[in-house]
Amino acid sequence: MAHITDWMATAKPDPEWEEAPDIGQFPDIASLRKWITQSKEDGAAEMGGSISGVKESDHQVEMRDGHKITCRTYHPESSGGSPLFVMYHGGGWCIGGLENEELLCRLMTSKLGMTCVNVDYRLAPEHQFPVPILDCYDATKWAAENASTLGADPSKGFIVGGTSAGGNVSAVIAHMWRDAGDKPGLTGCHLMIPAICYGAFLPEKYRGECKSFEQNKNAPILSAKACDLFTDNYIPEMEDRKDPMFSPLLVPTGQKGLPASYFQICGMDPLRDEALVYERILRRDEGVQTKVDMYPGLPHGYWSIAPKLKVSEKFVQDSVKGAEWLLQQK
């Protein structure tokens, strides 16, 4: 984001935005889940529906410990070998499920002819770090190994992506995949409002410019208290939070050789600056192709809370265009 020189200015509220609840108000994950369930029953924040031309299937995929998770796949009705996208939903590693990314998977399949794999990984606090990451890695291996059966051809594009915690998972998987020499190689990483590095372990040289966590500590939806709620339940041991499987910025092998990366970043988000730093490292230091769409004055995950806003429609449209851009980089 070489053209954005004042990162803090992007937190000025967008005039279209109205206040929303702060996840940090909930004392525990159980009460948050109860509120989400009630909101769904009340019909709040419904997004999308089935889309013509898209076939869907559920698969029970075995993980390394023998547990099975669901991977829902989305296929074009007429496919002669399509690009492959593996999607990890958001929710702070503690909430959410397949429905979070239904709309985006359907749109990418419908508009871009992709085969999408939506991963229902296990959640904390019942399944703490690193179980969700390992589930996502194993599911990605399954998708790659079964690509032809799924009607996909990774040589036409092989992308991993996700929102928030799912963006964190995507960045982690990109490093793990590269370091393991897994084949086929990833061609793209789709990072929507990702968490990149736990603040206490952010390298000293970046701390002076990473001010969004303090600036946006009382932001709607994802406040500092909300971040703590999720992190404390997902990865309670402080020492574990510098593990590259949680803070991919800290991977000892660095960022060279990562796939092209597309970022969506919100200006009123505590996670804003770590994403901006990470994008700059990829682009400027390591020569990775990157593209960024910024949403000034809007909080973390705003489009899921207020899907009918024009800026929410733009976010979803940009997500599809971002995947299209990644396919062009391979």
Side-chain angles (χ1 to χ4, degrees):
M1 288 299 288
H3 62 286
I4 295 184
T5 57
D6 187 353
W7 295 359
M8 293 184 72
T10 65
K12 182 181 178 181
D14 183 287
E16 194 181 359
W17 176 251
E18 297 180 0
E19 278 300 305
D22 168 23
I23 289 171
Q25 71 180 297
F26 295 96
D28 50 44
I29 297 300
S31 58
L32 173 57
R33 288 174 178 170
K34 183 177 180 180
W35 175 76
I36 291 170
T37 299
Q38 185 61 52
S39 296
K40 289 179 180 177
E41 291 173 356
D42 294 342
E46 292 296 327
M47 292 185 70
S50 61
I51 295 176
S52 62
V54 177
K55 299 182 294 181
E56 301 179 16
S57 301
D58 281 358
H59 310 261
Q60 296 303 304
V61 179
E62 187 168 336
M63 303 289 97
R64 63 187 65 194
D65 62 0
H67 182 86
K68 291 185 178 180
I69 67 170
T70 301
C71 289
R72 181 168 296 163
T73 56
Y74 307 77
H75 316 264
E77 284 189 344
S78 56
S79 174
S82 56
L84 180 62
F85 193 121
V86 182
M87 178 75 77
Y88 320 111
H89 68 79
W93 310 274
C94 296
I95 59 174
L98 295 173
E99 69 278 1
N100 289 51
E101 302 296 353
E102 286 265 80
L103 174 62
L104 187 53
C105 288
R106 289 167 177 163
L107 287 173
M108 290 196 295
T109 298
S110 174
K111 294 182 177 296
L112 303 179
M114 303 182 78
T115 293
C116 293
V117 179
N118 192 357
V119 181
D120 195 19
Y121 58 90
R122 284 173 282 181
L123 299 174
E126 295 84 357
H127 304 281
Q128 293 177 331
F129 174 85
V131 172
I133 284 287
L134 298 178
D135 279 0
C136 290
Y137 182 81
D138 291 351
T140 306
K141 290 281 288 183
W142 172 83
E145 291 167 358
N146 293 276
S148 60
T149 303
L150 297 174
D153 179 357
S155 71
K156 295 182 179 179
F158 184 12
I159 299 169
V160 294
T163 304
S164 190
N168 169 268
V169 171
S170 304
V172 170
I173 296 295
H175 287 91
M176 293 174 67
W177 204 263
R178 178 203 62 183
D179 291 349
D182 288 326
K183 301 296 181 184
L186 299 177
T187 63
C189 198
H190 196 290
L191 302 167
M192 295 173 277
I193 54 173
I196 297 297
C197 185
Y198 188 69
F201 300 112
L202 191 72
E204 186 66 36
K205 62 181 176 179
Y206 303 126
R207 291 189 180 184
E209 58 188 341
C210 286
K211 300 176 180 177
S212 57
F213 203 87
E214 176 63 26
Q215 182 189 27
N216 296 321
K217 65 182 179 181
N218 296 316
I221 305 176
L222 190 75
S223 64
K225 284 183 65 176
C227 291
D228 289 343
L229 174 67
F230 289 135
T231 306
D232 291 347
N233 278 276
Y234 173 49
I235 186 164
E237 295 298 324
M238 181 63 67
E239 193 67 15
D240 288 341
R241 298 178 189 183
K242 62 182 178 183
D243 190 310
M245 288 200 297
F246 180 67
S247 294
L249 183 68
L250 304 179
V251 66
T253 49
Q255 278 71 44
K256 188 173 290 294
L258 290 175
S261 297
Y262 169 64
F263 291 77
Q264 290 176 281
I265 302 171
C266 293
M268 204 194 302
D269 187 347
L271 306 181
R272 180 194 69 211
D273 291 351
E274 61 198 76
L276 287 167
V277 163
Y278 184 61
E279 184 275 334
R280 188 181 64 203
I281 292 170
L282 293 180
R283 168 176 48 83
R284 190 180 70 183
D285 300 349
E286 304 298 356
V288 175
Q289 292 295 312
T290 67
K291 176 179 171 61
V292 179
D293 282 319
M294 172 67 81
Y295 305 89
L298 292 161
H300 187 95
Y302 72 92
W303 66 96
S304 63
I305 298 293
K308 295 182 180 179
L309 297 182
K310 289 183 180 179
V311 287
S312 297
E313 294 174 5
K314 183 180 188 306
F315 190 100
V316 175
Q317 292 168 358
D318 286 348
S319 297
V320 177
K321 292 176 184 175
E324 184 176 32
W325 178 84
L326 287 171
L327 289 176
Q328 295 167 353
Q329 307 313 305
K330 70 178 186 63

